[in-house]
Amino acid sequence: MEVFGSSGARGVVNDELTPRFALELSGAVGTVLEPDTFVVARDTRTSGKMITAAVMSGLMSCGKTVRDIGVVPTPGVQWYAAEHHVPGVIITASHNPPEYNGIKLVNEKGIELRIEELEEIERVFDQESFNHVEWQDVGSATRVDGAGEGYVERVIDSLPVQRITDADLTVAVDPGHGAGSVTNPRIYRELGCRVVTINSYPDGKFPGRNPEPVPENLSDLCSFVTAENADLGIAHDGDADRAVFVDEHGECIDGDAALAALASVVLEDGDVVVSSVNVSQRLVNVVQESDASLELTPVGSTYILNRVRELKDAGERVPIAGEGNGGIIFPEYQLGRDGAFVAGRFMDLIGDETASEIIAPYDSYFTQRDNVPVESEADLARKLEAIKREANVDSEASVSTVDGFRFDYGDGWVLVRPSGTEPLVRIYAEAQSHGRAKEYAQRMKTVLKDAA
Ligand code: MG
């Protein structure tokens, strides 16, 4: 997949992601996908309206009717698409910095398109073989309000409201000025929580923090949790399909620990869990203890969702899937990620135990994440060649190449892979001490730096 990376088509606005690109890509979408009506929605980015206008033009040029539902979290668009049986185009760059935007597609069941369908769209895009209709058949567009409200109700109806209300929680919410600002504080209020917020108005300049919910961007939320005596802090990414938590002491909860804790309560003997090649040992342990099995895919929700769908089609029970970045999927609820739903499921664990107590059994691992910038294709090739050499000479590690290079050392592991969305090589390491995780990450960082 060239145009669609591991999380849709993304790029810097007016550089890679121009209105012309959006127009032609949506022309290809309108050519390949048969339904007459499409829903279009966006996150809060400054370029959202510009890219939306181009996408709507592209679809209308193929004779499609377009419903513009405005700023709605990605899971809300997926719900709308499924509810109204219309495919959707979502204008979002998720967790990427403010200068980025992107285009993501879902079908009329609200599920990401299959890789083969995306490849067909890419082929039409490359060949410019658009199915443009004649003047009397061009499509129209209407603005539809209220999709956010429908989504709020849907999430609440899918959660044990009374149990969560009875826990009498105070939650501190940080939607990071993203699409979650318009719906999620309300969801948590309707779940019976006392809700306090920061960075909770929609703003595409993201003045409070970067849209990626990683610990270095969440220091304000951590202090806020302590100041407000909250039971839980909840942070979302730009399109609110992910949720990351802060415990009652104002400490960030590792996403891998949250995933393991949620998995431990839903898994039964014979279940299958799908995660990516950067899977944490914590989830591996929970899966083993539950007599379930684990399947690994390349990094990225598209690959995970594809595999979940195949397993479900084959009759397997897959109650949970996802990654340690807060992107958790409960396939029986929706074949996609939903930050608010995941937050509700986590709240449901809090009652007799505090957030830190829930996480304690999964807290004995430490992760280290690093990024090394890439200057050019040639630079990337040199860096990957150096890692490949390292894989051949490092006799301590067993190496897997499902996606990038994963070095397993027995007491920890490190994964090195190029980012699907940014000019970076990403390094993930995990070990039972922070020093060890840092050491594994540093080892790879040195190899990458020496390559340049
Ligand atoms: Mg996202």
Side-chain angles (χ1 to χ4, degrees):
M1 288 191 296
E2 291 279 304
V3 178
F4 297 102
S6 58
S7 350
R10 297 245 184 106
V12 172
V13 170
N14 282 350
D15 183 3
E16 302 115 317
L17 190 79
T18 60
R20 184 194 172 114
F21 173 88
L23 179 74
E24 294 185 351
L25 186 60
S26 55
V29 171
T31 300
V32 172
L33 300 186
E34 284 174 5
D36 297 328
T37 304
F38 280 68
V39 58
V40 173
R42 62 182 195 274
D43 68 17
T44 57
R45 288 164 198 273
T46 55
S47 55
K49 279 188 178 169
M50 176 182 85
I51 300 297
T52 298
V55 165
M56 293 203 299
S57 289
L59 292 171
M60 287 188 281
S61 71
C62 298
K64 307 297 185 184
T65 302
V66 183
R67 294 184 204 163
D68 174 12
I69 60 171
V71 174
V72 177
T74 291
V77 189
Q78 293 181 275
W79 163 79
Y80 186 94
E83 183 72 12
H84 298 271
H85 312 290
V86 290
V89 182
I90 310 169
I91 319 301
T92 176
S94 188
H95 65 272
N96 283 164
E99 63 271 26
Y100 282 75
N101 212 333
I103 295 172
K104 182 174 168 141
L105 305 170
V106 296
N107 67 17
E108 63 273 26
K109 290 178 182 162
I111 304 171
E112 281 186 31
L113 298 193
R114 288 174 195 273
I115 289 166
E116 310 84 71
E117 291 173 299
L118 294 175
E119 284 169 350
E120 174 65 7
I121 291 167
E122 284 181 3
R123 193 186 58 73
V124 171
F125 174 82
D126 287 337
Q127 297 175 354
E128 301 184 20
S129 50
F130 308 115
N131 185 19
H132 287 154
V133 297
E134 289 187 35
W135 66 272
Q136 68 275 27
D137 294 323
V138 294
S140 61
T142 46
R143 164 81 208 198
V144 174
D145 290 320
E149 277 90 81
Y151 166 64
V152 167
E153 272 171 41
R154 192 275 164 116
V155 177
I156 293 162
D157 287 348
S158 310
L159 287 165
V161 181
Q162 196 55 51
R163 268 210 313 264
I164 296 171
T165 303
D166 290 345
D168 198 20
L169 304 175
T170 294
V171 297
V173 184
D174 177 359
H177 303 291
S181 307
V182 299
T183 46
N184 292 20
R186 210 176 107 206
I187 291 173
Y188 307 140
R189 249 173 234 123
E190 295 202 17
L191 290 171
C193 302
R194 174 181 165 253
V195 176
V196 289
T197 61
I198 55 168
N199 305 324
S200 191
Y201 56 95
D203 189 329
K205 296 201 167 84
F206 301 95
R209 70 161 166 92
N210 181 287
E212 185 162 19
V214 287
E216 54 267 37
N217 294 331
L218 301 181
S219 52
D220 289 347
L221 175 62
C222 291
S223 323
F224 189 52
V225 164
T226 320
E228 289 288 339
N229 245 325
D231 300 292
L232 184 69
I234 304 165
H236 296 293
D237 65 330
D239 64 333
D241 62 345
R242 285 160 53 186
V244 169
F245 304 111
V246 173
D247 74 16
E248 74 282 6
H249 304 301
E251 298 286 333
C252 279
I253 292 175
D254 199 298
D256 286 306
L259 174 56
L262 286 162
S264 74
V265 298
V266 296
L267 285 182
E268 288 170 17
D269 194 345
D271 286 346
V272 185
V273 179
V274 182
S275 189
S276 54
V277 66
N278 58 352
V279 66
S280 163
Q281 193 60 38
R282 294 172 263 209
L283 183 62
V284 175
N285 295 346
V286 167
V287 169
Q288 278 170 355
E289 281 156 21
S290 312
D291 288 319
S293 59
L294 181 64
E295 293 225 7
L296 299 184
T297 69
V299 174
S301 59
T302 302
Y303 297 106
I304 293 181
L305 285 165
N306 254 288
R307 188 64 191 135
V308 170
R309 184 154 36 172
E310 286 168 5
L311 287 163
K312 282 181 72 87
D313 288 350
E316 297 284 354
R317 202 181 95 103
V318 188
I320 191 164
E323 300 172 279
N325 61 2
I328 299 174
I329 302 151
F330 289 92
E332 282 149 22
Y333 162 73
Q334 176 166 288
L335 210 47
R337 315 192 292 186
D338 186 334
F341 181 75
V342 171
R345 294 294 292 255
F346 197 85
M347 286 176 200
D348 189 34
L349 302 181
I350 306 177
D352 298 336
E353 288 185 307
T354 64
S356 64
E357 286 167 349
I358 289 159
I359 288 305
Y362 315 102
D363 229 9
S364 56
Y365 285 87
F366 295 85
T367 50
Q368 177 73 26
R369 291 177 194 191
D370 264 311
N371 295 324
V372 175
V374 170
E375 274 144 35
S376 61
E377 288 287 317
D379 182 38
L380 177 63
R382 268 198 304 279
K383 285 183 160 67
L384 294 180
E385 198 49 47
I387 291 292
K388 196 171 166 187
R389 275 198 304 277
E390 179 68 16
N392 288 331
V393 299
D394 189 341
S395 55
E396 286 172 59
S398 72
V399 180
S400 132
T401 55
V402 169
D403 182 13
F405 294 84
R406 178 174 165 132
F407 296 72
D408 272 286
Y409 293 98
D411 69 336
W413 57 271
V414 56
L415 174 73
V416 184
R417 62 178 284 278
S419 161
T421 56
E422 286 171 83
L424 300 170
V425 175
R426 294 194 190 276
I427 304 172
Y428 310 74
E430 184 182 46
Q432 280 186 298
S433 82
H434 203 193
R436 200 87 173 133
K438 265 191 164 155
E439 184 193 317
Y440 290 141
Q442 189 56 47
R443 194 181 289 185
M444 295 303 149
K445 214 170 169 178
T446 306
V447 173
L448 289 170
K449 291 223 157 123
D450 288 351

